[in-house]
Amino acid sequence: MPPIPQLTRGIMDSYMRYDEPERSSLWLKSCFEYDEHSEMTQISLWQAYQAAFAPYGPFDMQASNFIKNVSSTFTGASAQVAAGNKYVISGIKPRDAPVDRSLKPFARCLWHVSKAPLMPTTPQFNGNTTDDNG
C-alpha cells in the first residue's frame, strides 16, 4: 500500500477554516480514494488524521465519529472486523498524489532555486551620484 500523502501547511491551513465533519472529509478526499479491493486498519487511518492535524491543537472529532465519517465520505467504504479481530476500513486506499476539491492533483512547485547571487555580475550603479560636470 502506498504511503499516505502529506499535505502542505497551506492546504492544511485552508482546511482549518471548516468545521468537522467537513474538515476530515476534505482531508480524506485529498489523501484517499475508493478502492473496493483495499482496506486499512481503523487505527492507522485515525492516527494519520491525528498526525496531519496535530499542529492545530485539540481535535473536535472523536475517533468513532471519524470512522463513521469515512463511510459518509466514500460510498462503498465501511468499517469492518477482519480476521483476528482486526478493525479495518474496507474500500479505501491512499492516493498516489493528493488532489484538490475538484479531484485535480495538487501541483508541486517546480521552481529551481539557484545558489548563485541574484545580483548582476557587472555593476549597474556604482554609487557615484555626481556627474562629470561637477
Side-chain angles (χ1 to χ4, degrees), residues 47-128:
Q47 288 172 343
Y49 173 77
Q50 287 180 307
F53 286 93
Y56 299 94
F59 298 101
D60 295 339
M61 181 170 266
Q62 298 297 315
S64 59
N65 291 334
F66 174 76
I67 297 303
K68 289 177 191 171
N69 193 42
V70 175
S71 297
S72 298
T73 302
F74 297 103
T75 304
S78 62
Q80 299 178 355
V81 179
N85 285 338
K86 184 169 80 171
Y87 294 89
V88 299
I89 296 288
S90 177
I92 66 166
K93 69 175 186 177
R95 291 184 181 276
D96 292 328
V99 297
D100 64 17
R101 292 182 77 170
S102 63
L103 302 179
K104 293 180 186 172
F106 283 114
R108 290 185 180 202
C109 177
L110 300 176
W111 289 7
H112 175 72
V113 179
S114 172
K115 294 186 183 197
L118 297 177
M119 296 178 56
T121 56
T122 56
Q124 301 296 315
F125 174 72
N126 65 8
N128 186 355

